Amino acid sequence: MRPSDRTGLAISLSVLLATFTLLPLTRDHSFLGVSWLLIVLLGGIAVLLRRARFGAGVVVAGQLVALGVFLILFSMALPVSGVGWWQNIAGFYLDAAHHMQTQAAPMAPQAGVKFLFVSAIGIIAVMTDVLAAGIRRPAWAIAPPATLFLIPAIGLEVDTPVRSLLCIAVGYLGILIAEGLNSTGRWSVSLSHDTDQGLGTAQPVVWRAATLIGVPALAGALLFGAVIPTLSLNGWGFGSGSNSHGPLELTDPTIDMRRNLNQPEDRTVVEYQTDRPGGTYLRMASLPIFNSHGWQLAGANLEQGPQLGDIPGLDNEPSLVRTTHIKIDNFSSQYLPLPYAPRKFEAKGKWGYVPQSLVVMATGRNHKQATRYLDYTVQSVDIEPN
C-alpha cells in the first residue's frame, strides 16, 4: 500500500468515526449513510489525485468541487419548495438554524438539519485531509473531528457519552499510526539496504509504540471522562447563567402535574392570596415546541436573580403591580408557580429564569424538590392583550 493510500484511508476512517458523536443531537440518523458516502467520495478523490502526483492545492480544489456538486445533488433529493437549488440550499440552512433554536435534543427529523450535518461533515473531512496529508501535520488532524465532538459536549444538557470520546481518540490514533508506518518507509538501515527492507524492520516498532502510547491514553481518557464534570459555557445549551456549575437536568412539568393529580384523595397543595380582585392563574412552565410527541421544552440559558428581565413581546409594561403570597404544601417540582408576568419574587433557595418566557426554575442541588413546603411572595403585572 502506498503511503498516500494509507494516510487517505486513516483520514476517512477518522472522520467516519467522528460522525457518531452527532447522534445524541437528533432522532434522525439517516444523515450517517449520506455522510459516509461523502467521506468515501472525498477520500477517494484525494487518493487518486495524489497517485497522479498532483500538488496539495489541486487535491483541495478537487475535494471542494466534489463537495459542492454532492451538496447540490443532495439538496435536489430533499423536499424542496420549487425554487432554484441555490435558494433551496440557503433555505435549508435557515430552516436548520430555526429548528435547532426551537428544539430540544434529540431533535425531531428535519431536512435542513440533515443537510447542515452532511455539509459540516464534508467540510470536516476536507480540513482533516489538508492537515494530515496536505501540509503534513498529522498531529493537528485531531482538531476538525474534535469540533464534531464539542458541539454536543457543550450544547447538550446531559453528559456526552464516552463512546463519542473513543470515536475521536481511535480515529486520531489511526492517523498517527498511518503516519508512523509512512515514516518507517523512508528509513534506511544502512547504505546497502533498500527502503523497502527498512520498512519491514521498523514496522514492529511502530505497532509497539502505538500500543504503549495509545492504550494508556484511551484508558486515561475513559477515567478522566467519568470523573470530570460536564462542560458548561454561559450562552450555550441549558446552563444556569453566569453562576452555572453545569447543565441543569430538566424534569417534565406535565409528569409532575400528572403524578400529583393521580392521588387517591383530594388534598390542597397550593394556596395563594393576592391584593387585587378576581384572582389570577399560576403558571409553572412554558412548552414552546410542538411535534409528533406533543408539547415539549426548549433549551435556553438561565439568568440569575429575583429581579426578572423585560416581558417578551411587550413594549409598554403596565404600571399596576399585583402582589401575591403563595404557599405550597406537599407538591414537588423544580418550576416555581407564578402569575404571569412576574417581575420580582422572594423565595428560599437558588433560582434562575428563562428570559424568553420568564419561567422560573430551581438551580440548587435539590432542584427537583424545590417547591415542596415553600412559602414565597411575587410581584407581577397583569397582561391584557388588545
Side-chain angles (χ1 to χ4, degrees):
M1 181 181 293
R2 295 187 180 185
S4 60
D5 298 349
R6 187 181 294 111
T7 301
L9 180 61
I11 293 170
S12 298
L13 178 62
S14 175
V15 181
L16 189 146
L17 289 174
T19 60
F20 289 102
T21 63
L22 296 177
L23 290 180
L25 294 177
T26 177
R27 293 195 296 268
D28 181 13
H29 298 166
S30 61
F31 74 92
L32 287 178
V34 182
S35 62
W36 292 348
L37 178 62
L38 177 58
I39 292 169
V40 172
L41 174 64
L42 296 176
I45 289 175
V47 168
L48 292 177
L49 291 178
R50 290 192 176 99
R51 273 177 170 259
R53 300 187 182 279
F54 284 103
V58 176
V59 174
V60 175
Q63 287 184 310
L64 292 178
V65 170
L67 175 61
V69 173
F70 185 93
L71 292 179
I72 292 174
L73 296 177
F74 182 47
S75 68
M76 294 178 178
L78 293 172
V80 296
S81 57
V83 296
W85 61 265
W86 61 92
Q87 294 173 296
N88 282 327
I89 291 178
F92 282 139
Y93 288 131
L94 292 176
D95 291 344
H98 177 73
H99 190 73
M100 290 187 291
Q101 289 174 352
T102 58
Q103 285 274 325
M107 297 178 290
Q110 205 263 350
V113 173
K114 183 177 179 180
F115 186 81
L116 177 63
F117 280 8
V118 173
S119 303
I121 291 169
I123 295 173
I124 293 296
V126 175
M127 293 175 61
T128 306
D129 185 86
V130 170
L131 292 174
I135 62 176
R136 295 183 180 179
R137 294 294 186 271
W140 299 355
I142 192 174
T147 304
L148 296 178
F149 169 78
L150 289 176
I151 294 173
I154 294 176
L156 287 179
E157 66 269 18
V158 296
D159 291 334
T160 304
V162 175
R163 63 178 179 269
S164 297
L165 183 62
L166 284 177
C167 288
I168 300 298
V170 171
Y172 181 56
L173 185 60
I175 293 178
L176 295 182
I177 291 176
E179 175 61 20
L181 293 175
N182 292 341
S183 298
T184 60
R186 296 189 290 268
W187 294 352
S188 293
V189 179
S190 65
L191 294 177
S192 60
H193 287 74
D194 188 59
T195 347
D196 293 334
Q197 294 175 323
L199 175 63
T201 305
Q203 270 189 351
V205 178
V206 176
W207 289 110
R208 283 196 296 268
T211 303
L212 292 175
I213 296 173
V215 172
L218 292 177
L222 288 173
L223 176 62
F224 284 105
V227 175
I228 296 176
T230 306
L231 175 64
S232 177
L233 298 177
N234 187 25
W236 294 80
F238 224 128
S240 53
S242 56
N243 297 324
S244 174
H245 298 289
L248 184 65
E249 182 182 357
L250 296 180
T251 59
D252 189 342
T254 62
I255 295 178
D256 287 344
M257 186 68 69
R258 188 180 303 114
R259 182 182 65 250
N260 283 277
L261 289 175
N262 293 334
Q263 298 292 329
E265 59 182 7
D266 293 337
R267 287 184 295 134
T268 301
V269 293
V270 178
E271 295 180 353
Y272 76 88
Q273 292 181 346
T274 180
D275 61 354
R276 294 189 62 188
T280 182
Y281 285 103
L282 300 182
R283 184 191 65 157
M284 293 178 60
S286 174
L287 307 177
I289 299 175
F290 182 73
N291 52 33
S292 58
H293 298 276
W295 294 96
Q296 296 181 353
L297 297 166
N301 190 55
L302 299 184
E303 299 292 339
Q304 298 291 329
Q307 187 74 41
L308 279 70
D310 296 335
I311 302 174
L314 194 63
D315 296 329
N316 300 319
E317 182 176 315
S319 58
L320 190 58
V321 177
R322 174 193 293 269
T323 301
T324 306
H325 181 77
I326 303 172
K327 183 179 180 180
I328 300 179
D329 196 21
N330 190 14
F331 177 77
S332 300
S333 178
Q334 69 180 116
Y335 302 92
L336 189 65
L338 297 172
Y340 192 83
R343 310 310 303 130
K344 185 179 181 180
F345 67 94
E346 296 179 4
K348 293 181 180 180
K350 295 182 179 179
W351 303 88
Y353 71 92
V354 181
Q356 294 83 358
S357 61
L358 301 182
V359 170
V360 176
M361 304 167 55
T363 60
R365 177 169 298 180
N366 196 24
H367 59 273
K368 294 183 180 180
Q369 307 286 329
T371 61
R372 193 177 183 186
Y373 302 113
L374 186 65
D375 198 334
Y376 57 100
T377 302
V378 57
Q379 294 183 358
S380 62
V381 295
D382 295 340
I383 305 300
E384 298 179 359
N386 56 28

